[in-house]
Amino acid sequence: MVIPRRGGRARAMLAAPRLAGLAVEGDTAYVTRGPAAGGKPPALLAVLLNTGAANTLAALPEEADQIVCSERWVVWRRLRRPGLSGVPFVAAAAPVTVIRSAPAAGGPVRIVAVIRGETSFRKDDIVLLGVAGDSIYWRERSGPAANDRTLIRRAPCAGAKAETVVAEAGSRRAALAGDVLVWTAPSLEAGNPGAFATVKRMALGRPGVKVIADWLEPGAMPMLTAGGRVYAQERGSLWRLSDERGEQRRLFSGPSQVMSPVVSGDEGFMFIQRGQQTVVAKRPLTLWARVRSLVAW
Amino acid sequence: MQRMRKEVSPILAVVLILVALGAVEGLYWRGLLREEHRTMGAGGGPVGGGAGASAPSVGLPEVIVETVVGEEQAGYRDGATSEGLLDGPAAVAAAGGVVYIADSRNDAIRIVRDGKVSTLVGGRDESGGVALALRAPAGVAVGPDGSILVADTGHHRIMRVSRDGALFTYAGAATPKDDLGMEVGGYRDGSVAQAQFRYPVGLAVDGAGAVYVADAGNQAVRRILGGQVTTIRADGQMKSPTAVCVALDGSIWVSDTTGGSLWTGRPEGPLRQWQPKEVGDGFSPAGLVLAADEAGEKRVYVADSASNCLFRVEGDHLLLVAGQAGSTGAGSADGTGDQARFLCPAGLTAGGRAELYVADYGNNRVRRVRLGRIHLETHRHFGGGGRRGLPRGRSRMPARAKEER
């Protein structure tokens, strides 16, 4: 479905079996289609937002769980479960997460990483954070306990050995906004390290890690990215965190602002999925966006 | 009636009441007026925390559990056993004072000798399991000729490791590969060079030199003898056989982890399902081994990966040896059998005298269990603390088990 930025009725853009893993870059949406009639294998599709025209970029062995993209690359992941299940101590039969990539302009599909894990005792729950430069960044956890390490790793989208960028015990959230990487960690100020969270920030390609927020609720804090900035939800509030000066600013709060996941952010606005997941709300984030909203109203 | 009442002496009445009370107590201590706790089976409490589970029972106080190597935190580090780290030990074998560990998530066979842990073969890399010497080995045993046999589970083969760590294929042929380049396994009987396996896990060797393989992915038990691989018939469908052991009488025992039962029978087959009655939903047998306690009594021991306990097969019952049955039983504590806790104990092997080794998969440790002198009569009558000797986790073995002794 697609909704005009100015609001209006949602319209169907593409109908295909088992569409999964949506990502948008510019005027193109990327999505995978499941196996189609006639024995057609799953495929990676590029859909033009203006016209709804779909172009098959590549045939795939499986659909995606999650897609991220940049101007140059489309990267997706898939959790693959082998046939033997229910035996937690047979690590060979544990699910495997496969990260693949393809050039946004079309080209061969590459295997970026194959990550083993996710058993009853290890929750690796691989999450793709985004593409920066020509590298894909993802988060993986090494265990279910609060003090287990979270790794933020990266690998070239063209395929090469992965490297660890961040290793943080007790980290639960991470996000990539432009060339800024942020992640949570247990607060060092709080007496009980698990009670509150701190948010750390690192500019890619530059040394140094900076704490940009502290004393945040650890559980209720999804990290969001929109328009190159990082936002954190805490109960009914939305905080902007990725300020260069280390500021954390509460953008809005209140019971009416209890939010579901952010759909996207663009041109000073954040689009938030809300309520029974049938309403997409548009929220101005900058002064200029507020002025534009008032004028439009 | 009045005349009758006058004729009953008060002293006689008191004596009769005391006799009656004594009879009731006698019945109580014979177990006829009480519920079972420690044994599992007919009349016993369920193992898991499923519906109908009684209060969790606890293991035997004369059993001692201690950590040999590993910490809760997974890792890969050789060195002194107090410093060594494992990641998902799935199976153990012991011979000549050396303990062999199938360190599955490290893709390695580790050995413990003279207080040190080292890597015999394999090791962790970043290839995602595509180019590994071993891929998530989940079974290890000492072969008929003293060599080390490994269930190379992720490569769907049985391997032989020489003393210096050289690796040879013992049984299993190549199988088709998926799009990641990983073999998916297969099923074929025949010569060791042609046979195929699918996620082989547990291994056992009998006195005749036959090697038994719990072929989990093929839901079958395979036998390697005289260079040929055959499938042992079963009187029913196993779901995921993960361990096998050979009993004193030459019969074999098999753990069906997701099937929640044991199977047993002659190697010629058929194997028949063996399931203690009143087993809760949480019974997921994993490691199996034949071992002797200090009294020299050889029995089959079972690691239950769901209730995190060790049991011993006694007749048609299971005797709780170590751990605490029920949903509260997970943990990592060392101590006596009633204090010790496990987290998904997966592999078992017999060590020295009255000694077991446990691959405690979820705790990333190998544990040693000193069995002591397990005296069933003691547990029946005097098995622990509590009011007037009311045992904590008292055992009442059925008459049949007693006769067997």
Side-chain angles (χ1 to χ4, degrees):
Chain A
M1 307 292 288
V2 63
I3 305 170
R5 279 210 180 92
R6 293 175 178 276
R9 295 178 67 85
R11 63 180 170 83
M13 190 172 61
L14 178 68
R18 282 168 43 181
L19 290 173
L22 180 66
V24 177
E25 176 65 34
D27 61 352
T28 306
Y30 299 94
V31 68
T32 61
R33 163 181 63 71
K40 278 188 174 178
L44 174 65
L45 306 178
V47 187
L48 289 175
L49 293 176
N50 297 332
T51 63
N55 176 34
T56 300
L57 285 183
L60 306 176
E62 62 217 345
E63 304 107 280
D65 294 323
Q66 186 196 1
I67 296 180
V68 294
C69 58
S70 68
E71 285 183 359
R72 289 165 51 85
W73 293 98
V74 185
V75 185
W76 63 97
R77 63 128 218 237
R78 172 73 182 189
L79 182 67
R80 178 180 292 190
R81 299 184 186 281
L84 182 66
S85 61
V87 187
F89 54 86
V90 179
V96 171
T97 297
V98 186
I99 300 176
R100 299 177 201 265
S101 68
V109 173
R110 299 159 164 92
I111 294 175
V112 177
V114 179
I115 305 157
R116 301 157 62 185
E118 204 158 290
T119 70
S120 303
F121 307 99
R122 289 169 65 108
K123 297 290 182 193
D124 295 85
D125 53 15
I126 315 299
V127 177
L128 300 183
L129 300 178
V131 179
D134 281 327
S135 292
I136 172 70
Y137 289 75
W138 70 88
R139 185 201 72 174
E140 57 187 274
R141 285 177 63 188
S142 63
N147 61 353
D148 287 334
R149 286 195 316 171
T150 289
L151 304 177
I152 298 176
R153 310 189 76 201
R154 74 176 164 205
C157 294
K161 195 170 181 180
E163 62 176 333
T164 299
V165 183
V166 173
E168 183 81 57
S171 176
R172 296 184 180 183
R173 308 282 182 186
L176 177 68
D179 62 350
V180 173
L181 198 58
V182 291
W183 66 95
T184 65
S187 175
L188 295 177
E189 297 290 322
N192 178 0
F196 293 94
T198 186
V199 179
K200 296 182 178 179
R201 168 190 181 281
M202 183 174 78
L204 299 177
R206 276 176 279 171
V209 174
K210 192 174 178 182
V211 173
I212 59 171
D214 207 348
W215 295 93
L216 295 167
E217 295 272 347
M221 205 172 62
M223 306 281 281
L224 317 165
T225 59
R229 290 181 181 275
V230 178
Y231 301 87
Q233 281 177 241
E234 186 192 35
R235 294 187 179 165
S237 302
L238 183 70
W239 295 79
R240 189 171 71 204
L241 300 178
S242 64
D243 197 297
E244 277 291 334
R245 290 166 297 179
E247 288 178 358
Q248 47 177 309
R249 175 178 293 185
R250 191 197 297 264
L251 296 176
F252 43 82
S253 63
S256 64
Q257 299 298 340
V258 174
M259 290 163 291
S260 293
V262 162
V263 177
S264 68
D266 198 8
E267 297 175 2
F269 291 93
M270 180 171 280
F271 297 87
I272 301 162
Q273 199 172 336
R274 207 165 62 174
Q276 298 297 315
Q277 300 198 346
T278 54
V279 175
V280 175
K282 183 179 175 183
R283 191 75 210 193
L285 297 176
T286 61
L287 179 62
W288 177 232
R290 281 173 195 271
V291 171
R292 279 160 50 205
S293 292
L294 285 170
V295 170
W297 184 74
Chain B
M1 288 295 287
Q2 277 186 342
R3 188 179 300 164
M4 284 285 290
R5 207 177 291 159
K6 283 178 183 173
E7 287 173 1
V8 175
S9 157
I11 296 171
L12 182 60
V14 168
V15 169
L16 285 173
I17 289 168
L18 288 173
V19 168
L21 284 173
V24 168
E25 190 179 19
L27 287 171
Y28 180 83
W29 287 115
R30 282 175 183 275
L32 299 177
L33 297 180
R34 290 188 296 179
E35 287 187 5
E36 285 298 295
H37 286 293
R38 178 167 290 159
T39 58
M40 185 179 71
V47 166
S54 59
S57 51
V58 294
L60 305 178
E62 62 266 46
V63 169
I64 305 291
V65 179
E66 55 199 3
T67 296
V68 176
V69 63
E71 296 174 9
E72 280 178 66
Q73 181 66 48
Y76 183 27
R77 187 163 65 210
D78 284 340
T81 50
S82 57
E83 310 248 311
L85 293 178
L86 310 174
D87 193 353
V92 278
V98 181
V99 178
Y100 301 88
I101 305 164
D103 192 7
S104 64
R105 292 184 67 102
N106 280 326
D107 305 306
I109 300 299
R110 315 282 294 276
I111 57 174
V112 175
R113 178 168 40 198
D114 302 329
K116 289 181 180 171
V117 61
S118 57
T119 301
L120 178 64
V121 61
R124 183 181 273 184
D125 82 349
E126 301 292 334
S127 72
V130 176
L132 295 165
L134 296 172
R135 183 163 182 265
V140 62
V142 180
D145 59 353
S147 60
I148 304 305
L149 297 179
V150 177
D152 189 3
T153 310
H155 288 142
H156 314 285
R157 285 175 177 79
I158 311 303
M159 308 298 287
R160 186 170 66 83
V161 188
S162 67
R163 298 279 177 196
D164 59 356
L167 206 56
F168 306 93
T169 302
Y170 186 77
T175 63
K177 291 182 178 178
D178 64 12
D179 59 297
L180 302 177
M182 295 183 189
E183 292 192 24
V184 297
Y187 174 69
R188 188 163 62 208
D189 279 345
S191 70
V192 290
Q194 294 177 327
Q196 291 178 331
F197 300 88
R198 187 161 187 264
Y199 296 118
V201 181
L203 298 175
V205 180
D206 72 8
V211 177
Y212 298 91
V213 182
D215 191 0
N218 284 320
Q219 303 175 309
V221 178
R222 319 284 291 276
R223 179 164 68 160
I224 306 170
L225 183 62
Q228 293 291 313
V229 178
T230 54
T231 300
I232 298 176
R233 278 185 310 122
D235 189 13
Q237 183 62 62
M238 296 178 196
K239 288 187 176 174
S240 58
T242 56
V244 58
C245 83
V246 183
L248 264 184
D249 61 359
S251 62
I252 63 170
W253 287 74
V254 181
S255 279
D256 184 359
T257 302
T258 54
S261 62
L262 302 174
W263 293 69
T264 185
R266 303 298 306 172
E268 301 77 31
L271 301 175
R272 291 197 166 80
Q273 198 169 24
W274 186 96
Q275 189 172 33
K277 294 169 188 171
E278 300 178 17
V279 167
D281 292 339
F283 184 49
S284 293
L288 275 174
V289 71
L290 180 76
D293 64 15
E294 268 199 5
E297 295 284 348
K298 279 199 168 181
R299 291 283 192 278
V300 172
Y301 289 79
V302 186
D304 181 4
S305 62
S307 72
N308 305 303
C309 291
L310 304 185
F311 292 100
R312 167 167 138 168
V313 174
E314 286 285 350
D316 51 3
H317 296 282
L318 291 178
L319 173 74
L320 178 56
V321 172
Q324 179 177 26
S327 57
T328 57
S332 60
D334 285 338
T336 55
D338 51 346
Q339 296 167 336
R341 300 291 179 263
F342 300 90
L343 183 57
C344 191
L348 279 181
T349 195
R353 179 183 166 82
E355 199 175 68
L356 298 179
Y357 288 95
V358 183
D360 193 359
Y361 184 87
N363 282 322
N364 302 304
R365 296 176 181 186
V366 167
R367 322 277 293 273
R368 178 166 41 224
V369 180
R370 299 187 192 279
L371 293 171
R373 184 177 290 269
I374 296 173
H375 200 293
L376 298 179
E377 288 300 317
T378 302
H379 295 297
R380 184 183 300 177
H381 297 296
F382 311 107
R387 185 168 56 86
R388 278 199 67 193
L390 183 64
R392 187 180 51 182
R394 176 195 56 86
S395 168
R396 183 192 73 185
M397 294 309 299
R400 203 180 114 192
K402 186 181 176 186
E403 285 160 12
E404 283 174 358
R405 293 169 56 81

